[in-house]
């Protein structure tokens, strides 16, 4: 049933501005407002958004507000693909091979990496070009490519860029220069000449439309004009999409709605500039109206949201919410314990686990929290983030421990984990400067099978093959290996041998500490993960896992592996995830667009939250986290003894007492 519009929505519905930006706060009914506009519009209406989830929500609101009316809703990728089909129909471009999955693009990334490696063959370079059997690194390169295309940086790749230009791009996106060179090589392979493409992935669609329309401006005349274009979740728009909407709009009325304090999706090139001055520059004379009243939370959360965003945020009328500040000892695992204690308290007071979400800044912060929840027998489900037990960096350490102890009992029958463990070991511990594939040249392989693929198959069938993978295959030197590759393989062999000798007399924590120190895992993480932020997160996860092992000091390797197996079983398909009553554990990025009655935000301390150097971006992350709460928000920060570790994000909120601030 259609809702009655609020006074702010009435102003929006009455506006006749050709271009209108609606600036909203979290929970203000952004999508509902667009649906109301569609209900009263005359002529053809087109709805656009930036994700499949946003598309579904848009369609649901349209069904509620204007049932029976046909309104097309597309993601920007779907919209761009439809435009490409129109241009192909008009004979302006030959249809390229469409590659909807990253899997289908991996061979092209490998070919680009090998082409760039040829230029470095005679030069010293610490960058590892062995992408062929490392799907995680390939996917990271594809993510970087998508960001470079979304920000229109990739448009320059047809030029002969100077090394200074390459390094500037690398510094901007926090990646090695060689990664940028691989992206350039990939794009030159894909685009034979302007407007001629051999293949197209999802990230290519919008940039390719822009390129073709710049080559054939008159082609725009054949694209059907709509009367009203509605764009939801404007805070996710990137430079390429912004430019396409400028071109496509023509005489159509354009209404966009977003919350500039939720611009955190930098992976897809989202830029707050397009919610500020960039919008006026792109659409001169555009009108701005507000949706400043949230229908999600009460005054306590609204005040904190206003403080975090620097904007007006009105609470839902006659609503109740609470904000609680809880302190912990930052010197240990105190935060995780404090979080588990608060969850247990809420449950004891009659609260539902399914109403609770724990939202962390980054995935590596879940390790201590997951273990505290497991120890307290509090069921949880990881949403938008993998349980730490199955992340590649942790599977790599678990694999090393299995090999050191010679114990594979907990892996038998678990083919999925075995295959993933083999892939993780290859991702983090392999190095091959020549980017060669060991297939028919190795006596253990048949023709056409790569080391990584066969290793996953063999370990899945027999977990004891991990010993061969780590102790032999990854350590085997090739004639084409450079000095760095040889030194790494020799060190890996020495570390594995030493771990085997130490296993009978040292506990699991000591073995893992030895491996993490002697293998130079920061360097291994940098090789395994292209993006430096993600590499840092993987390294933090490794450190947190070793710290967890120290808490179980005295357990030998086999006993510790058994403990991990028990925990994995409890969070697996036969454990917690099979229950309906479980809380949600997620990250800020994954929580965007969601809401829960009770939200807990842990680890609000320097180096944890905030995590990055961009103060304004960290404030936006904080805003997104706290505005997911409907009735209760619990914030966790270091206690008075660790005041130096406290985060600036809590400045202005902190009070002398540490209890909850509640409204009547």
């Amino acid at each position: 049933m259609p809702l009655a519009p609020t006074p702010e929505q009435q102003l929006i519905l009455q506006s006749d501005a050709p271009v209108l930006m609606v600036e909203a706060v979290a929970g203000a009914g952004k999508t509902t407002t667009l649906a109301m506009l569609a209900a009263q519009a005359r002529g053809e209406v087109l709805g656009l958004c930036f994700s499949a989830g946003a598309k579904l929500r848009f369609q649901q609101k349209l069904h509620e507000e204007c049932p029976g009316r046909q309104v097309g809703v597309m993601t920007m990728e779907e919209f761009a693909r439809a435009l490409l089909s129109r241009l192909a129909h008009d004979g302006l471009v030959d249809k390229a091979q469409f590659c909807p999955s990253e899997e289908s693009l991996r061979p092209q990334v490998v070919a680009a990496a090998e082409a760039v490696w040829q230029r470095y063959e005679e030069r010293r370079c610490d960058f590892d070009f062995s992408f062929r059997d490392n799907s995680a690194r390939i996917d990271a390169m594809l993510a970087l490519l998508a960001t470079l295309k979304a920000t229109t940086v990739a448009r320059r790749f047809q030029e002969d860029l100077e090394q200074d230009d390459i390094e500037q791009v690398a510094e901007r996106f926090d990646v090695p220069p060689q990664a940028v060179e691989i992206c350039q090589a990939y794009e030159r392979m894909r685009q034979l000449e302007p407007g001629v493409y051999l293949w197209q992935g999802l990230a290519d669609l919008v940039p390719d439309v822009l390129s073709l329309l710049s080559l054939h401006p008159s082609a725009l005349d054949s694209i059907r004009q709509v009367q009203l274009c509605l764009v939801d979740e404007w805070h996710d728009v990137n430079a390429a999409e912004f430019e396409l909407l400028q071109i496509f709009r023509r005489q159509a009325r354009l209404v966009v709605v977003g919350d500039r304090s939720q611009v955190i999706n930098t992976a897809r090139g989202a830029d707050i500039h397009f919610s500020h001055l960039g919008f006026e520059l792109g659409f001169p004379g555009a009108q701005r109206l507000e949706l400043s009243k949230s229908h999600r939370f009460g005054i306590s959360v609204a005040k904190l949201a206003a403080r975090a965003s620097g904007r007006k945020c009105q609470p839902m009328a006659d609503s109740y919410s609470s904000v609680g500040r809880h302190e912990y000892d930052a010197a240990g695992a105190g935060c995780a314990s404090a979080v588990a204690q608060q969850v247990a308290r809420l449950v004891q007071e009659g609260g539902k686990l399914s109403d609770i979400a724990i939202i962390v800044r980054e995935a590596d912060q879940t390790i201590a929290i997951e273990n505290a929840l497991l120890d307290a027998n509090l069921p949880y489900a990881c949403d938008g983030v993998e349980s730490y037990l199955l992340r590649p960096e942790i599977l790599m350490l678990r694999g090393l421990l299995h090999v050191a102890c010679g114990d594979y009992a907990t892996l038998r029958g678990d083919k999925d984990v075995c295959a993933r463990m083999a892939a993780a070991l290859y991702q983090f511990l392999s190095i091959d400067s020549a980017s060669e594939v060991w297939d028919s040249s190795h006596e253990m392989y048949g023709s056409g099978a790569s080391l990584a693929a066969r290793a996953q198959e063999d370990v899945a069938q027999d977990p004891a093959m991990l010993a061969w993978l780590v102790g032999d295959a990854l350590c085997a030197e090739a004639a084409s290996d450079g000095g760095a590759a040889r030194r790494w393989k020799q060190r890996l062999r020495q570390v594995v041998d030493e771990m085997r000798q130490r296993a009978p007399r040292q506990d699991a924590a000591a073995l893992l500490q030895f491996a993490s120190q002697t293998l130079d895992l920061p360097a291994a993480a940098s090789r395994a993960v292209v993006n430096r932020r993600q590499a840092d997160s993987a390294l933090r996860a490794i450190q947190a896992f070793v710290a967890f092992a120290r808490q179980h000091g005295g357990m030998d390797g086999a006993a510790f592996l058994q403990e991990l197996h028990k925990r994995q079983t409890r969070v697996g398909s036969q454990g917690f995830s099979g229950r309906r009553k479980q809380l949600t554990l997620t990250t800020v990025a994954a929580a965007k667009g969601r809401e829960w009655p009770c939200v807990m935000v842990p680890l609000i301390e320097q180096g944890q939250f905030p995590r990055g150097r961009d103060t304004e971006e960290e404030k936006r992350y904080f805003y997104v986290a706290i505005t997911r709460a409907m009735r209760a928000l619990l914030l966790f920060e270091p206690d008075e003894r660790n005041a130096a570790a406290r985060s600036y994000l809590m400045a202005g909120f902190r009070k002398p007492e540490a209890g909850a601030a509640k409204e009547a």
Side-chain angles (χ1 to χ4, degrees), residues 531-610:
N531 183 278
R532 292 193 178 107
R533 285 188 180 184
Q534 294 173 355
D536 174 69
S537 182
L539 186 60
R540 287 171 182 254
I542 289 170
Q543 294 167 345
F545 183 69
V546 174
F548 170 63
R550 282 198 295 268
Q551 293 173 15
H552 290 73
M555 272 192 181
D556 63 24
F560 186 64
L561 289 169
Q562 182 66 41
E563 176 64 26
L564 294 175
H565 178 68
K566 290 178 181 177
R567 290 171 183 260
Q568 179 184 309
T569 300
R570 291 173 66 192
V571 298
S573 59
Q574 301 302 316
F576 285 175
S577 62
R579 305 186 190 180
R580 287 188 175 182
K581 296 180 179 180
Q582 54 190 2
L583 63 84
T584 298
L585 180 57
T586 188
T587 64
V588 178
K592 194 157 73 74
R594 311 273 301 279
E595 62 183 20
W596 291 269
C598 176
V599 166
M600 299 184 180
V601 184
L603 290 167
I604 308 175
E605 63 176 84
Q606 294 299 337
Q608 296 290 353
F609 201 165

Side-chain angles (χ1 to χ4, degrees), residues 293-303 314-324 345-346 349 596-599 626 628-634 659-664:
K293 186 174 182 179
S294 178
H295 302 283
R296 179 176 295 161
F297 40 71
I299 190 169
S300 291
V301 176
K303 285 181 177 179
Q314 300 181 56
M316 184 166 55
D318 301 322
S319 62
Y320 169 88
S321 66
S322 66
V323 177
R345 179 185 63 80
L346 290 173
E349 293 174 355
W596 291 269
C598 176
V599 166
I626 63 178
R628 303 308 96 197
M630 299 166 65
R631 296 198 299 268
L633 173 65
L634 281 68
K662 295 186 178 181
E663 66 208 39

Side-chain angles (χ1 to χ4, degrees), residues 351-466:
K352 296 180 180 179
L353 278 169
S354 57
D355 287 345
I356 302 171
I358 301 172
I359 303 178
V360 297
R361 175 64 173 83
E362 291 295 336
D364 58 82
Q365 296 170 336
T366 71
I367 295 180
I369 293 172
E370 284 192 66
N371 286 316
L373 294 173
L374 286 165
D375 291 339
N377 197 31
L378 293 167
Y380 67 92
C382 292
D383 191 335
V385 61
E386 189 106 63
S387 170
Y388 83 92
L389 290 158
L390 297 177
R391 288 181 212 151
E393 59 272 22
I394 305 305
L395 286 172
M396 177 267 296
L397 290 176
R398 291 174 64 183
L400 283 175
L401 202 53
H402 277 291
V403 172
C405 300
D407 189 314
Y408 307 98
T410 59
L411 294 177
R412 303 206 182 276
D414 197 342
K415 292 186 177 182
D416 177 63
V417 169
C418 287
R420 293 171 70 169
M421 189 172 290
L425 287 162
Y426 192 91
Q427 177 185 349
F428 278 86
L429 302 182
S430 68
I431 183 169
D432 187 355
S433 60
S435 191
E436 293 182 340
V437 178
W438 280 19
D439 43 30
S440 56
S441 64
H442 194 280
E443 61 181 6
M444 296 195 68
Y445 297 109
S447 176
S450 70
L451 170 61
R454 284 299 302 271
Q456 291 180 53
E457 294 175 8
D458 291 346
V459 172
Q461 294 299 322
D462 180 7
M465 289 296 288
L466 282 172

Side-chain angles (χ1 to χ4, degrees), residues 47-65:
L48 295 173
C49 50
F50 305 97
S51 68
K55 175 183 174 180
L56 180 60
R57 290 192 295 272
F58 204 161
Q59 290 172 328
Q60 289 171 339
K61 293 300 180 183
L62 286 166
H63 178 72
E64 294 169 7
E65 294 297 325

